[in-house]
Amino acid sequence: MIFILFSLVLVISVHVVMTKVIIDPHEEFEECGNGMPMFSMNFSGLEITRKEDGTIFGNGKVKVLKDFNAPMKIFYYTKKLERGSWTRGIFSRLVPDFCATMNNPLELWYNVTRFLPPCPIKAGQEIVLDNLKVGTVLEVVPPNLLGEWRIYNEMTTTRGLIPQSECKLIEFSVVEI
């Protein structure tokens, strides 16, 4: 009898409720508010759209304002709005040399980076996205992922002999459908 009761408690405690959601990105990149300047790129010609099937597309042009040299260290991390405050999210990753991973089809960003010029990326270059599928984000997730999120992208590259760090932020909502 105790074994049956223990098994029932175990089954009940392991049950995870999943929610069908859409991820709705806000339209513009922003400064991170951490003292780092915005990426040295002009994103004003870029439009991010989400189709009803959950697919996110990028359209338009991004103009490179300053050189980006290898190695280019990238640090991605998330924050979630909880009880009125932005708290550390559950996703983060440090990439010591982003340039070395740009053309790796196993990387999350490969859908976009396979169309980028190789490093170094020079000032004045334009990156053209023509209805580029960034990803599909109609997903089933645990309910604790619902809410308002931010993805921070800190980048450090050397310009001249001086390491320079920049940051861009995009906000998005994870909404139950």
Side-chain angles (χ1 to χ4, degrees), residues 13-169:
S13 65
V14 172
H15 178 71
V16 176
V17 176
M18 302 300 271
T19 304
K20 196 167 190 178
V21 300
I22 57 170
I23 298 175
D24 188 18
H26 299 200
E27 297 228 356
E28 296 181 18
F29 294 113
E30 302 175 27
E31 288 186 17
C32 294
N34 59 4
M36 290 183 194
M38 177 71 160
F39 265 36
S40 296
M41 295 181 170
N42 181 344
F43 294 101
S44 65
L46 178 64
E47 182 181 7
I48 299 171
T49 57
R50 183 186 51 81
K51 306 276 183 179
E52 280 194 33
D53 68 354
T55 307
I56 294 180
F57 290 91
N59 282 297
K61 293 181 183 179
V62 176
K63 183 159 185 170
V64 179
L65 303 175
K66 293 182 181 178
D67 292 347
F68 290 85
N69 300 300
M72 190 179 349
K73 182 172 78 172
I74 302 282
F75 179 43
Y76 290 95
Y77 58 95
T78 59
K79 289 188 178 183
K80 184 178 183 203
L81 186 61
E82 295 184 300
R83 299 183 182 142
S85 297
W86 289 102
T87 60
R88 193 67 158 197
I90 58 174
F91 305 104
S92 68
R93 182 168 177 203
L94 175 65
V95 181
D97 187 2
F98 182 73
C99 293
T101 69
M102 287 175 61
N103 292 314
N104 182 345
L106 300 177
E107 291 292 355
L108 182 63
W109 45 78
Y110 179 71
N111 281 347
V112 175
T113 57
R114 65 184 170 156
F115 296 106
L116 296 180
C119 292
I121 301 170
K122 295 295 187 185
Q125 285 183 293
E126 285 190 342
I127 300 165
V128 178
L129 305 178
D130 183 19
N131 209 32
L132 177 66
K133 181 180 175 182
V134 176
T136 302
V137 292
L138 181 62
E139 300 291 339
V140 177
V141 300
N144 66 328
L145 294 181
L146 295 175
E148 298 299 314
W149 288 84
R150 291 179 172 172
I151 295 179
Y152 293 80
N153 180 357
E154 296 180 6
M155 182 277 312
T156 302
T157 189
T158 302
R159 295 186 178 118
L161 297 175
I162 302 168
Q164 294 183 3
S165 296
E166 301 173 345
C167 187
K168 74 176 172 17
L169 156 71

